[in-house]
Amino acid sequence: MLLQIPGVLSADEVALCRDRLDRADWHDGRLTAGHQSARVKVNQQLPETDPVARELSELVLRALERAPDFLAAALPRHVYPPLFNRYVPGMSFGAHVDNAVRQVPGTAYRLRTDVSATLFLSAPEDYDGGELVVEDTYGTHSVKLPAGDMVLYPATSLHRVMPVTRGARVAAFFWTQSMVKDDGERSLLFDLDLGIREFAKTAPEAPAALRLTACYHNLLRRWAEL
């Protein structure tokens, strides 16, 4: 499932992020890439230990807690602390698949990457190129969203970032280990959740709303890994 979620960050939060990031100390992004990705990755990244990265990572995590579509679609068990990257003219990231497992820095904890996310921090009119291109069973999708919007997609997807030819593409990115490992099962639960929310607006007291809610939780109970 590929899902675009608008307004994860407010305009003020985006402005704060850009103020911090425009003055940050960017490093070669290949330092955090795996063997295969390093061959096609040409971008800049904030080190995870950088104080700016830690501050803004916490800001993004707080925003995710108030994003109902993220919670419903990803069904997060664990979220990898968000990272930040930048592409300027001549930079791109060739086709790759994200590492299946990531170790949280400074800990012994490992996280399975079920869902990948990109949170755009640059307005699309501020740069040319830089589209996130995701390939799945339904074809190839090109994504370039307003600042503050986010896209989720299965971490199993082959994806790439097109070359930037003008301006700077700045974004946060991270991975989620979901309570529901299978993307198809997550998609069914998300669609059911959307239907229940719509039903609740029009007929909150209807017995069918209760039955649908029971179905949702019983499916989640069947599929969830805790």
Side-chain angles (χ1 to χ4, degrees):
M1 174 177 58
L2 187 149
L3 178 67
Q4 299 180 18
I5 304 177
V8 173
L9 295 184
S10 68
D12 288 343
E13 288 171 325
V14 170
L16 173 63
C17 289
R18 289 305 307 272
D19 176 68
R20 298 287 196 273
L21 294 172
D22 287 347
R23 296 182 284 116
D25 183 20
W26 295 93
H27 290 219
D28 188 333
R30 287 174 294 186
L31 295 175
T32 59
H35 172 72
Q36 181 67 31
S37 296
R39 298 194 299 173
V40 295
K41 183 179 184 181
V42 183
N43 69 1
Q44 296 174 320
Q45 192 167 311
L46 273 192
E48 295 171 73
T49 56
D50 188 289
V52 172
R54 289 179 170 175
E55 174 193 1
L56 299 185
S57 179
E58 288 296 325
L59 183 152
V60 173
L61 289 172
R62 290 194 300 270
L64 295 177
E65 292 174 357
R66 60 173 193 265
D69 282 350
F70 166 74
L71 298 174
L75 293 169
R77 182 182 181 190
H78 301 291
V79 178
Y80 192 93
L83 304 171
F84 300 87
N85 59 21
R86 182 172 71 168
Y87 295 78
V88 295
M91 293 185 176
S92 63
F93 199 161
H96 65 285
V97 173
D98 292 333
N99 291 346
V101 176
R102 305 280 304 196
Q103 183 164 340
V104 178
T107 76
Y109 182 75
R110 291 179 172 85
L111 174 151
R112 185 185 66 234
T113 59
D114 298 322
V115 182
S116 296
T118 296
L119 174 58
F120 289 80
L121 298 173
S122 297
E125 63 270 19
D126 289 345
Y127 63 101
D128 293 334
E131 296 86 357
L132 172 66
V133 178
V134 181
E135 299 180 20
D136 62 19
T137 55
Y138 300 102
T140 301
H141 312 273
S142 180
V143 184
K144 186 173 182 177
L145 301 180
D149 290 9
M150 181 170 71
V151 61
L152 302 181
Y153 56 97
T156 54
S157 303
L158 192 68
H159 59 283
R160 60 189 185 274
V161 176
M162 299 300 290
V164 168
T165 59
R166 178 187 65 88
R169 177 198 191 269
V170 182
F173 64 101
F174 61 93
W175 303 273
T176 298
Q177 179 172 330
S178 178
M179 292 185 291
V180 176
K181 180 179 180 181
D182 183 79
D183 180 60
E185 293 170 355
R186 285 197 309 273
S187 296
L188 287 172
L189 287 168
F190 180 66
D191 287 342
L192 184 54
D193 180 77
L194 289 180
I196 291 169
R197 282 192 261 168
E198 288 299 316
F199 205 155
K201 294 177 183 177
T202 57
E205 303 301 325
L210 178 59
R211 288 196 292 271
L212 286 172
T213 301
C215 286
Y216 174 88
H217 285 287
N218 286 332
L219 286 172
L220 181 58
R221 184 176 291 110
R222 177 183 292 266
W223 292 333
E225 301 174 2
L226 302 176

